[in-house]
Amino acid sequence: MKPGKRIEYRELDELQPHPVYTGGVTPKDGVVCDCHRNGSAGSYPVVREDGTILNGHKRVAAAEAAGLERHPVEVVDVTDEQARELLALSHRGEDALKDALKDTDEG
C-alpha cells in the first residue's frame, strides 16, 4: 500500500526529528545559501502529519540556519511501521539509526 502524500508549507518550529533519529544535523553551506536565496532547500523534507521528520533533517536545519520560518514539506499519511520503514530507507547508511530502529522493533 502506498502512503498518501501532499505538499504544503509548514512552520519550521512545528517540525521535529523522529525519536530514533540520532544523526548529527549539520547542513551543507550550499543548501543554506539555496534556502537564503530561493526560500527553499530545493527539495522537500518528508514529514508525518504531526511534523515528525522522516527524511530531510539537514534540509530543515539549513532552512533554520538561513533564517526561514516556513518551508515546503511532503506530508505523508503513514502508519508507525511505514514511518520506520521510510526512515530506515532514507538513512540506510547510518548504523546507529539501524540499531535504534532494531531496538524499537524488538521492544
Side-chain angles (χ1 to χ4, degrees), residues 1 9 14-15 18 28 33 37 40 47 54 59 95:
M1 177 173 122
Y9 273 86
E14 295 175 4
L15 306 178
H18 190 280
K28 294 180 180 177
C33 288
R37 187 175 26 247
S40 151
V47 303
L54 301 176
R59 284 170 276 169
D95 291 334

Side-chain angles (χ1 to χ4, degrees), residues 36-94:
H36 182 72
R37 187 175 26 247
N38 305 320
S40 151
S43 61
Y44 308 127
V46 178
V47 303
R48 294 184 80 177
E49 286 286 339
D50 66 359
T52 301
I53 303 167
L54 301 176
N55 187 11
H57 296 83
K58 291 179 186 173
R59 284 170 276 169
V60 170
E64 290 171 338
L68 301 183
E69 294 180 10
R70 297 165 33 106
H71 194 279
V73 296
E74 180 178 338
V75 181
V76 293
D77 181 20
V78 294
T79 65
D80 290 343
E81 181 179 341
Q82 289 170 321
R84 285 190 301 274
E85 288 174 8
L86 286 169
L87 185 70
L89 283 171
S90 61
H91 299 280
R92 59 189 167 272
E94 300 174 27

